[in-house]
Amino acid sequence: DAKTTQPNSMESNEEEPVHLPCNHSTISGTDYIHWYRQLPSQGPEYVIHGLTSNVNNRMASLAIAEDRKSSTLILHRATLRDAAVYYCILRGNTGTASKLTFGTGTRLQVTL
Amino acid sequence: GAGVSQSPSNKVTEKGKDVELRCDPISGHTALYWYRQRLGQGLEFLIYFQGNSAPDKSGLPSDRFSAERTGESVSTLTIQRTQQEDSAVYLCASSTYRGGKNIQYFGAGTRLSVL
């Protein structure tokens, strides 16, 4: 599986935007970029995914570099509830069942 | 509807005992996955089921670990002769293809402590 690299931790103030980077220089043409997050004492939850174009949903936005070697998860207004570990994961054909390969993720701290 | 349910939520056992962990997936989800998360680390894939078959069991760490799924529903993960290094949170997820996506939905996990 192609590997992703994320910073170990980031901090943000509440109500501020947060940009969480992910490098994936060995991404293949068919890999989708998925983001999951894990709140304390919970299982991971899906945030967003994309292939080439930027994506928006109610939780976040995903900005994908033109060469697809990096991407950024954008939380437009961080809240205390967004404090979690964020995982950037590459995954093949998103229509079929397959495992997720988790790295160590970025631990986001949100302060008042 | 109801999410992925795992039981027990916590399990303390003695080294050498066998344990069974249960996962009830979201109704209608065809795929079911087991992961393990050691303290302070990311998730490690163990096995996944498509229906009742396991196309990928590459993550099972040893022959002490086994899993089955019946009725394309509930799954049990069995660890025989538990060791202290088996202590971890065991997470189950389920998914199905819908709307062009195959998103995994996770349970809260079973925290296993081997004394």
Side-chain angles (χ1 to χ4, degrees), chain A residues 21-112:
Chain A
C22 181
N23 287 320
H24 28 78
S25 58
T26 59
I27 190 170
S28 76
T30 56
D31 281 338
Y32 284 75
I33 302 156
H34 288 247
W35 285 81
Y36 280 73
R37 72 179 185 180
Q38 188 173 22
L39 301 170
S41 301
Q42 295 187 29
E45 64 175 347
Y46 168 82
V47 178
I48 200 166
H49 79 281
L51 183 62
T52 56
S53 303
N54 294 345
V55 185
N56 300 294
N57 67 20
R58 63 174 179 81
M59 289 182 73
S61 296
L62 176 61
I64 302 172
E66 197 168 334
D67 64 3
R68 300 207 331 121
K69 293 186 176 182
S70 65
S71 61
T72 302
L73 179 71
I74 303 165
L75 307 179
H76 295 287
R77 289 178 63 205
T79 70
L80 295 177
R81 197 203 171 274
D82 292 319
V85 179
Y86 287 78
Y87 296 98
C88 170
I89 300 167
L90 301 183
R91 192 177 182 205
N93 184 347
T94 196
T96 60
S98 62
K99 66 183 179 184
L100 295 172
T101 301
F102 288 81
T104 53
T106 296
R107 181 174 299 277
L108 176 65
Q109 291 181 292
V110 181
T111 55
L112 292 169

Side-chain angles (χ1 to χ4, degrees), chain B residues 36 64-65 79 82-88 90 112 114:
Chain B
R36 176 172 73 177
R64 296 187 296 104
F65 287 71
I79 309 173
T82 52
Q83 304 294 312
Q84 287 183 332
E85 65 260 28
D86 300 333
S87 295
Y90 290 81
L112 175 65
V114 182

Side-chain angles (χ1 to χ4, degrees), chain B residues 5-55:
Chain B
S5 178
Q6 293 188 246
S7 60
S9 54
N10 283 283
K11 176 72 176 178
V12 180
T13 190
E14 294 179 350
K15 179 181 170 182
K17 301 273 188 179
D18 297 352
V19 294
E20 275 192 3
L21 312 180
R22 177 185 170 109
C23 174
D24 285 274
I26 293 172
S27 178
H29 277 197
T30 54
L32 185 149
Y33 313 77
W34 285 99
Y35 295 85
R36 176 172 73 177
Q37 186 171 32
R38 291 194 166 117
L39 187 64
Q41 299 187 20
L43 279 74
E44 302 171 74
F45 168 77
L46 297 178
I47 184 172
Y48 97 88
F49 292 88
Q50 183 66 46
N52 293 332
S53 302

